[in-house]
Amino acid sequence: MESNNHNNTEEYPPDFSEAYDKCLWRFAINAAPQIYDLYLQEEFKGEYQNRLLDLCCGPGHLSHFFLERGFFTTGIDLSETMLQLARERSKEYENQSEWILADASHFDLGKHFGLVVSTFSSLNLLPSLEQLTKCFQSVYKHLEKGGTFIFDMTTRLGAEYHNNVFFRDMGDYTIITNGYFNKEGCKASLHFLGFFKTDDSSCYKKFEHHQVETLYKITDVEIALKETGFNDIQYYVYGITGVQAIPEPENVVNVIVKTRKCV
């Protein structure tokens, strides 16, 4: 996940990176098996079918799920602090994982993958459709023919849902999220404030972070994907027993987009 502070180029403050790792990991853990199953449905048999590129990988929770299943993974993120957490998490898989400081809107890794993923609405942090399109172009370049690209996004309906204050107290951590949706500008502002227990449980550490998300029309996203060269675009939502296909992607809070590189 990338920070959107100051042109989307600064990394998270260390305290927030640590808080993200300790407090906001559940989404990746829940999403990983559903994305894995969705990918397996393709029955893709490419040269790089077991190579994963995790865009905006954060502390590497999703990648770790794939590492445990024999994938070779590459994670990119703008935050070196996040990448270091991912390296520590994947020490036992150091021969099949790498973590690279890079911008999701424009990257060149010089290799190909069978699967590229981005979760937790990280691509909403790209501030313009132009940058989102450049991201799609970079992904397309790195996918082998027939490869799959799966990502999720917060919709405008989702931004309206988050236009509120949320409080969560889990014992080991407390987090308050204050969301504001600017309908005219199609931007959502999220402010995180909270405390988490240190590893030795001796005290709590405070964290605070502010980020801005861009709420794209899914029709614009689809056009950008098609103009890049992607085809077979499908929409899903996360579910209790797995992803579920949906006909109207704008009518959900968070949408999963799955598409493929033309063979």
Side-chain angles (χ1 to χ4, degrees):
M1 186 175 180
E2 295 177 82
S3 171
N4 197 43
N5 291 342
H6 304 291
N7 297 323
N8 208 30
T9 58
E10 294 184 3
E11 74 166 71
Y12 289 121
D15 285 349
F16 184 74
S17 295
E18 188 177 356
Y20 186 100
D21 187 39
K22 294 179 180 295
C23 310
L24 300 175
W25 52 268
R26 286 178 174 80
F27 187 95
I29 295 298
N30 291 331
Q34 299 189 53
I35 290 175
Y36 178 75
D37 290 343
L38 187 59
Y39 178 56
L40 292 185
Q41 291 175 16
E42 295 290 340
E43 298 183 350
F44 177 59
K45 301 298 181 183
E47 181 180 357
Y48 304 102
Q49 65 187 49
N50 290 329
R51 290 192 177 273
L52 165 72
L53 173 59
D54 188 357
L55 297 183
C56 315
C57 63
H61 290 285
L62 183 139
S63 286
H64 194 266
F65 178 92
F66 281 83
L67 286 168
E68 291 177 325
R69 284 149 185 81
F71 276 68
F72 291 82
T73 70
T74 298
I76 69 171
D77 202 283
L78 275 179
S79 170
E80 182 58 43
T81 309
M82 289 287 197
L83 293 171
Q84 186 55 39
L85 289 168
R87 292 186 189 102
E88 293 172 1
R89 173 163 287 103
S90 61
K91 279 183 179 179
E92 62 182 304
Y93 299 104
E94 61 182 0
N95 292 328
Q96 64 187 80
S97 62
E98 60 180 347
W99 310 97
I100 300 172
L101 188 69
D103 188 340
S105 68
H106 181 71
F107 56 93
D108 186 356
L109 306 177
K111 57 184 65 179
H112 290 91
F113 303 86
L115 173 63
V116 179
V117 302
S118 183
T119 60
F120 213 0
S121 302
S122 293
L123 297 189
N124 285 103
L125 296 176
L126 297 177
S128 69
L129 187 59
E130 179 183 3
Q131 281 198 281
L132 183 65
T133 301
K134 287 181 178 179
C135 171
F136 292 163
Q137 292 168 348
S138 293
V139 170
Y140 193 86
K141 177 181 178 180
H142 288 77
L143 271 176
E144 67 173 316
K145 290 184 178 180
T148 302
F149 180 28
I150 300 174
F151 61 97
D152 61 38
M153 301 190 92
T154 299
T155 64
R156 296 186 179 192
L157 179 65
E160 292 182 11
Y161 171 77
H162 292 298
N163 192 28
N164 211 326
V165 177
F166 298 89
F167 175 84
R168 177 181 293 180
D169 185 358
M170 301 296 289
D172 289 340
Y173 70 87
T174 299
I175 182 169
I176 302 169
T177 306
N178 189 353
Y180 172 73
F181 177 36
N182 181 344
K183 293 184 179 180
E184 293 183 2
C186 297
K187 299 285 185 178
S189 174
L190 294 174
H191 187 83
F192 301 91
L193 174 65
F195 302 86
F196 63 90
K197 189 177 293 186
T198 57
D199 289 336
D200 61 6
S201 299
S202 63
C203 63
Y204 284 83
K205 292 178 68 174
K206 177 184 176 181
F207 64 90
E208 190 168 6
H209 177 67
H210 180 81
Q211 67 185 36
V212 176
E213 298 182 355
T214 302
L215 289 312
Y216 297 102
K217 290 182 179 179
I218 302 303
T219 51
D220 290 339
V221 173
E222 183 170 324
I223 290 171
L225 286 168
K226 289 180 177 178
E227 289 181 346
T228 301
F230 287 102
N231 65 359
D232 190 22
I233 301 171
Q234 301 174 32
Y235 300 104
Y236 300 84
V237 291
Y238 296 110
I240 297 176
T241 59
V243 298
Q244 301 174 8
I246 55 172
E248 298 294 338
E250 295 283 10
N251 294 337
V252 296
V253 171
N254 183 275
V255 61
I256 305 168
V257 183
K258 185 187 78 168
T259 186
R260 300 181 68 189
K261 182 173 181 176
C262 297
V263 178

